[in-house]
Amino acid sequence: MLYEESMSGGQAHTTFEKLKICFLLTYLFMTETDREYISLPVDEYVSHHRGRYESLHRKSIEDADEFWNEHASILEWYSKWDRVLDDTKAPFFRWFINGKLNVSYNALDRHVKSHRRNKAAFIWVAESGAEKIVTYHGLLKRVNAFAKALLDAGLKKGDRIAIYLPMIIEAPVVMLAAARIGVAFTLVFSGFGSNSLAERISDCGAKVVVTADGANRGGKLIELKKIVDDAVEQATTVEEVIVVKNTGNKVEMVEGRDYWYHEVTKDQNVFVEPEKMDSNDPLYILYTSGTTGKPKGVVHGNGGYSVWISNTLKWAFNPQEDDRWWCAADIGWVTGHSYIVFAPLLLGLTSIMYEGAINYPEPDRMWEIIEKYGVNLLYTSPTAIRMLMRYGDAYPGKHDLSSLRVLGTVGEPINPAAWHWYFRTIGKSKCPIVDTYWQTETGGFIISPAVDLGIGSLKPGSATFPMPGIDPVILDEEGKEVPVGQKGFIAVRKPWPGLMLGLNNDPERYKAVYFSKYPGKYFNGDYAMKDSDGYYWLLGRSDEVMKVSGHRIGTIEIEDALVSFKEIAEAAVFSKPDVVKGEAIVAFVITRQGFSPGKEMTEKLKKGIRETMGPILVPDEIHYVGSVPKTRSGKIMRRVLKAVYTGQVPGDISTLENEASVDEIKEAIESLRAQTKR
Ligand code: WTA
């Protein structure tokens, strides 16, 4: 029997033909992207030659030491490194050995001493329309004031703090203040719930949490302080909570533990000497989803990471001194860390930082901001583009978008329809689309068009070529390079400065996840293909990690959350294609004896997950079944579930413990479909 609370999609035909396994396996192995690109025109955008790109890339691979010696001088160092790369403890690669620097000095003091002193670092725009311009000089003052507050709280180099802030100026201020005194931070996306926050605080051992009374999003108030209170009850390392007054809603302050941000930063005229950090000291820890267990704490360092993100931003987007850069991601993801905060400030750029939803209060909010502030370089996600595209051309049509010069995307493969719309309707066929492929672990872009170096022709849906320093290869299951035009797993043959230092408290997991499938090569779980012109096509995840609206979510996290309810015995989670979000979350659950599934239970599960894990982890659909297909060793076969659910054939099911359960799911889906037809 199957109950269902919201039937969407429904394109399944459920033909369960075991006989055609060969053909069908191949088909299953292809993603939507594969099927689409096959029919695409090729030379859509032609600009300059790739001459400089090719020679630079070649040099970066052939003589990495000399290349990085030269490119690390994009930053100012207190003392130079003795060696570029130490790979003696591979796969724990270390860059710029014994080099000393401070990231906040490079992002602020260095510019304040130059012609950029009074240049806007951020133009902050609130959802309400309010704006704030913060100059480099002003930002440095704020950072010093907060660095002093952290020192006053007893923090010192090597300690850790957690940041749970929305898109307000205090977020970069706190990040930079921590970097200034050598405290590593973990910034947790403000859309995560209390359990997710507690888990991250505990794993990194944060002594202080910086949060706000609330956040504005889509016209709603999110009570962040309450979530922190719940999380701090579970996470015992926290001694102090510092609260930014942002929305002005009433919050409970715990005597002796909670302090107002504006009170601890009263003195704005202080100077805190930047710590001389080792290149390989940690800068931050950012948690990201994997295929098993808890989220992984990806650790990025001071030197290599900063060198990598500043160079890649420059190569890919070619920002000019007077440009206005808008990275429309949230600061809670790696895109926000690298390309809202650190790289633009290291390069001395002016960034737009927008607090709210890009379609609020009207669907033209993004276009209005571009026109009002004269944005030159825009960087957003395919999901955002697809969403805005659905509102129609009239919305961008109301605005003068002629300031735009380069358009970027990140987070998931961009489908050609969205690419074309972005290129024609937004960029008026004159702005290259910079499709940047990378991951939390890679620090910055690893495959992307490089406008600064000459991009040649673009192909819609291809991230084009590796950044200098990146030596990718596409391999089959056994580690053999696949022929041109064939799909395989992407791996990187050489280390690069932006690669994470490791996983927090878990060196074994770091080796096992990234360096055991192909010894000596970095493996990241993505499918890719290289075409006969040498272009790389990223073809989605090969594992059980989903990309929902560009957010990286492990099926395991939602399954764990579901089975933590007393009503649920087992859960299997997978994603289905979604025209806007790319992927949408579907859960199949088995209830425990004595509990009856239905609308009420679905509401309870969704509400519970929203509160403890956060809204982005709430499944779009929850279905109740009697069993889920498993292998003989007891692993849930999500691939089979997904295939049956989306109307494809589930491929090889010989390892299934119990084929009847597949039939049961098939039956359940058919009955569901019959119900919705009525
Ligand atoms: C996917 C986001 C195709 C990929 C910066 C990767 C992409 C995962 C692209 C990392 C792209 C990111 N084309 N797929 N341009 N960019 N991905 O860690 O599957 O949140 O492994 O980092 O996003 O997600 P993460």
Side-chain angles (χ1 to χ4, degrees):
M1 208 25 205
L2 183 141
Y3 304 83
E4 202 262 355
E5 48 79 37
S6 73
M7 180 62 191
S8 55
Q11 61 279 69
H13 308 297
T14 341
T15 39
F16 194 52
E17 300 164 81
K18 287 188 220 164
L19 291 172
K20 296 182 187 162
I21 280 174
C22 263
F23 161 73
L24 292 163
L25 265 180
T26 317
Y27 184 74
L28 251 190
F29 208 52
M30 291 171 76
T31 64
E32 284 301 306
T33 329
D34 290 327
R35 285 175 223 128
E36 274 183 56
Y37 87 79
I38 287 167
S39 59
L40 280 178
V42 171
D43 279 333
E44 179 66 23
Y45 180 87
V46 181
S47 70
H48 11 250
H49 290 298
R50 281 196 283 129
R52 204 157 91 79
Y53 165 77
E54 270 160 4
S55 61
L56 210 66
H57 187 264
R58 197 176 318 112
K59 181 167 176 201
S60 75
I61 303 301
E62 285 169 4
D63 193 351
D65 273 16
E66 197 188 311
F67 183 86
W68 289 114
N69 255 329
E70 199 180 302
H71 284 82
S73 64
I74 198 164
L75 304 176
E76 210 177 296
W77 297 73
Y78 295 121
S79 53
K80 215 185 149 178
W81 48 96
D82 336 314
R83 210 161 13 129
V84 171
L85 169 67
D86 177 0
D87 57 3
T88 53
K89 295 197 181 66
F92 298 92
F93 301 101
R94 296 295 177 256
W95 288 84
F96 309 114
I97 309 306
N98 293 326
K100 302 275 185 278
L101 80 169
N102 185 283
V103 173
S104 97
Y105 174 88
N106 273 279
L108 302 168
D109 307 56
R110 187 164 59 125
H111 305 309
V112 168
K113 287 190 209 155
S114 77
H115 60 284
R116 296 192 181 117
R117 180 183 173 84
N118 294 318
K119 179 175 176 175
F122 287 111
I123 300 174
W124 177 80
V125 184
E127 194 170 79
S128 67
E131 65 177 41
K132 209 184 282 178
I133 296 177
V134 183
T135 62
Y136 275 91
H137 172 245
L139 193 59
L140 177 57
K141 274 189 160 312
R142 287 166 184 251
V143 167
N144 271 317
F146 194 70
K148 169 81 169 31
L150 287 175
L151 293 174
D152 290 347
L155 288 168
K156 51 187 186 322
K157 184 175 170 185
D159 284 339
R160 281 145 178 213
I161 63 167
I163 308 174
Y164 187 62
L165 285 172
M167 292 283 287
I168 54 178
I169 286 293
E170 285 78 3
V173 169
V174 176
M175 293 159 91
L176 290 159
R180 193 166 190 89
I181 61 168
V183 162
F185 64 85
T186 187
L187 191 149
V188 181
F189 174 51
S190 61
F192 278 130
S194 53
N195 288 6
S196 307
L197 176 60
E199 194 172 75
R200 288 158 171 78
I201 293 174
S202 299
D203 188 79
C204 80
K207 289 190 176 164
V208 168
V209 180
V210 188
T211 188
D213 50 358
N216 299 307
R217 188 91 190 178
K220 289 196 212 92
L221 170 75
I222 304 157
E223 298 200 55
L224 298 179
K225 173 65 167 56
K226 272 199 182 141
I227 300 172
V228 169
D229 288 340
D230 285 351
V232 169
E233 250 172 53
Q234 302 170 48
T236 51
T237 54
V238 178
E239 293 162 11
E240 223 172 82
V241 176
I242 301 178
V243 187
V244 177
K245 199 177 262 255
N246 180 40
T247 48
N249 56 305
K250 207 173 148 10
V251 294
E252 296 288 332
M253 297 291 275
V254 177
E255 178 83 39
R257 188 199 73 182
D258 298 354
Y259 299 89
W260 286 107
Y261 182 96
H262 58 269
E263 282 171 8
V264 298
T265 54
K266 249 195 202 113
D267 192 356
Q268 288 279 319
N269 289 319
V270 291
F271 178 79
V272 174
E273 192 63 40
E275 277 284 341
K276 293 188 169 59
M277 302 299 291
D278 187 86
S279 170
N280 293 294
D281 280 336
L283 175 64
Y284 68 76
I285 301 155
L286 181 55
Y287 289 84
T288 189
S289 300
T291 49
T292 53
K294 289 181 177 178
K296 302 173 284 198
V298 169
V299 184
H300 280 297
N302 282 266
Y305 170 78
S306 303
V307 166
W308 183 250
I309 59 172
S310 358
N311 277 295
T312 50
L313 180 57
K314 189 170 158 301
W315 291 328
F317 284 89
N318 189 23
Q320 303 295 308
E321 184 68 45
D322 292 331
D323 274 349
R324 286 184 169 184
W325 158 256
W326 184 14
C327 169
D330 192 282
I331 216 156
W333 306 105
V334 73
T335 308
H337 283 54
S338 294
Y339 297 109
I340 295 177
V341 181
F342 291 114
L345 294 176
L346 290 169
L347 294 181
L349 300 177
T350 297
S351 285
I352 307 295
M353 181 173 168
Y354 175 54
E355 177 200 32
I358 50 167
N359 57 348
Y360 185 87
E362 294 296 328
D364 64 343
R365 188 65 198 264
M366 190 165 219
W367 320 127
E368 181 203 310
I369 292 176
I370 292 170
E371 179 174 22
K372 179 163 181 197
Y373 298 99
V375 172
N376 307 99
L377 313 166
L378 175 66
Y379 187 37
T380 187
S381 67
T383 291
I385 297 163
R386 287 191 294 264
M387 178 180 81
L388 297 172
M389 183 170 118
R390 281 162 78 95
Y391 293 124
D393 292 2
Y395 285 104
K398 283 201 281 186
H399 298 278
D400 175 5
L401 304 178
S402 59
S403 58
L404 289 171
R405 206 175 67 246
V406 183
L407 301 173
T409 76
V410 58
E412 48 185 319
I414 179 163
N415 54 308
W419 195 103
H420 283 288
W421 186 77
Y422 200 27
F423 179 69
R424 297 204 176 106
T425 309
I426 306 307
K428 317 291 179 216
S429 302
K430 68 177 175 65
C431 308
I433 305 294
V434 173
D435 175 0
T436 63
Y437 165 69
W438 58 298
Q439 301 181 297
T440 307
E441 294 88 335
T442 68
F445 318 144
I446 57 168
I447 299 187
S448 168
V451 174
D452 184 33
L453 309 176
I455 52 176
S457 310
L458 291 178
K459 297 190 188 188
S462 162
T464 73
F465 302 102
M467 288 273 106
I470 299 295
D471 185 18
V473 61
I474 300 181
L475 303 172
D476 66 12
E477 198 54 63
E478 278 73 50
K480 270 213 335 272
E481 193 165 346
V482 303
V484 158
Q486 266 185 38
K487 177 172 173 173
F489 303 99
I490 188 159
V492 186
R493 286 183 280 216
K494 277 170 168 274
W496 66 98
L499 178 65
M500 69 193 134
L501 294 179
L503 295 180
N504 191 45
N505 297 334
D506 212 345
E508 289 310 314
R509 192 173 177 196
Y510 169 78
K511 285 194 268 183
V513 173
Y514 306 102
F515 290 94
S516 68
K517 187 172 171 87
Y518 304 123
K521 301 184 185 79
Y522 170 76
F523 164 75
N524 68 16
D526 282 312
Y527 283 130
M529 195 259 320
K530 187 171 157 179
D531 71 16
S532 51
D533 299 321
Y535 286 65
Y536 286 84
W537 298 79
L538 282 308
L539 304 174
R541 302 285 314 171
S542 66
D543 54 15
E544 278 143 7
V545 170
M546 304 177 284
K547 290 297 288 196
V548 180
S549 297
H551 300 146
R552 179 165 159 185
I553 302 172
T555 52
I556 184 92
E557 289 168 79
I558 299 169
E559 287 167 1
D560 283 352
L562 284 165
V563 296
S564 70
F565 287 88
K566 66 178 184 309
E567 294 88 344
I568 304 301
E570 270 199 83
V573 169
F574 58 92
S575 65
K576 62 169 195 176
D578 183 280
V579 282
V580 175
K581 298 197 282 190
E583 292 176 51
I585 306 170
V586 181
F588 276 50
V589 295
I590 303 171
T591 52
R592 279 187 201 284
Q593 288 257 297
F595 293 103
S596 30
K599 251 199 155 81
E600 229 170 79
M601 186 182 285
T602 300
E603 282 317 309
K604 182 176 174 192
L605 298 177
K606 287 193 170 185
K607 186 165 174 281
I609 295 183
R610 179 170 293 113
E611 282 166 7
T612 57
M613 308 293 292
I616 56 162
L617 284 101
V618 177
D620 290 70
E621 297 173 19
I622 298 180
H623 302 287
Y624 299 92
V625 288
S627 65
V628 290
K630 286 191 187 155
T631 61
R632 292 197 184 102
S633 61
K635 251 187 102 194
I636 295 170
M637 295 197 78
R638 297 182 189 83
R639 178 175 57 82
V640 173
L641 265 176
K642 180 173 180 161
V644 175
Y645 187 76
T646 54
Q648 296 170 9
V649 178
D652 182 7
I653 56 164
S654 58
T655 51
L656 275 187
E657 171 204 26
N658 168 14
E659 284 187 23
S661 60
V662 177
D663 283 336
E664 186 186 3
I665 285 161
K666 192 181 80 166
E667 222 170 75
I669 288 170
E670 273 164 3
S671 107
L672 173 74
R673 195 147 296 120
Q675 289 167 42
T676 53
K677 267 190 199 134
R678 256 183 258 133

